[in-house]
Amino acid sequence: MLDARGKAFVENQQANREREARNWWRARAELRAIAEPDRAAFIRYWDRCKCPGNAGYLLTYINMFRDGRLIVHEGEVRPRSDVEWERDRKAKIAGMTDIELDVMIQTHISPLFAEWGREERRRRAELSAAVPPARCSSMRRKRRGVRR
């Protein structure tokens, strides 16, 4: 009985090593199938990833990348949901009035978006300073509903 268990253990260990090797071969082949600029970004993402560095996890992340759950955004791989949330949040901030922006900067916890809000305010100020005065007064008349 002990001999049979010992033999089964050795066979099981060999089968596990062979399966892991097949997974690595498959993962490397799928990694090579990713286009070059995206592959470099994906490899940087994988190197920073805190999950176990085995072939099963690598195949999972490659699958997520291929399915579009992970995307290349500004040269870095990020979850699509994070990119979309940030884009929507920035669009909401960009649409705020100066008073709403002041309240958001003073009351919200996220320093990332507060800083972005300050940058948005500076950008608005630069844009309004760049507009010639004649155009500004005509824009004010249009807002009031007065036309010439």
Side-chain angles (χ1 to χ4, degrees):
M1 179 103 158
L2 287 175
D3 290 338
R5 284 186 181 172
K7 185 178 178 184
F9 176 78
V10 170
E11 290 170 358
N12 187 35
Q13 290 296 309
Q14 184 61 38
N16 287 342
R17 285 193 298 274
E18 288 171 0
R19 184 177 56 252
E20 188 66 19
R22 279 193 310 272
N23 284 341
W24 275 114
W25 292 333
R26 188 171 143 222
R28 284 193 210 101
E30 290 191 24
L31 192 58
R32 283 190 300 271
I34 298 173
E36 181 46 47
D38 294 346
R39 183 183 329 146
F42 183 84
I43 290 171
R44 283 193 307 273
Y45 180 78
W46 173 250
D47 288 342
R48 288 190 316 265
C49 186
K50 293 182 177 156
C51 66
N54 64 30
Y57 279 93
L58 180 57
L59 285 168
T60 300
Y61 279 81
I62 291 172
N63 188 39
M64 290 170 64
F65 186 74
R66 193 175 41 237
D67 290 348
R69 290 177 282 166
L70 293 175
I71 60 172
V72 177
H73 178 73
E74 297 176 356
E76 294 297 321
V77 173
R78 295 182 56 202
R80 176 182 294 279
S81 58
D82 290 359
V83 172
E84 290 173 353
W85 180 85
E86 187 175 311
R87 182 197 63 222
D88 294 344
R89 187 70 179 147
K90 285 183 176 182
K92 183 178 179 182
I93 291 170
M96 289 180 173
T97 64
D98 285 340
I99 294 171
E100 291 171 330
L101 195 55
D102 282 339
V103 170
M104 193 275 309
I105 289 171
Q106 293 169 7
T107 61
H108 279 63
I109 296 169
S110 175
L112 169 72
F113 286 110
E115 182 57 32
W116 190 85
R118 289 185 191 98
E119 290 173 16
E120 181 68 17
R121 175 176 291 135
R122 284 191 289 273
R123 187 185 67 76
R124 286 181 189 176
E126 290 169 3
L127 287 176
S128 64
V131 175
R135 185 167 179 217
C136 286
S137 62
S138 67
M139 290 176 72
R140 276 189 233 115
R141 279 194 300 274
K142 284 181 185 175
R143 269 189 254 134
R144 287 191 307 242
V146 177
R147 291 193 176 156
R148 284 189 164 186

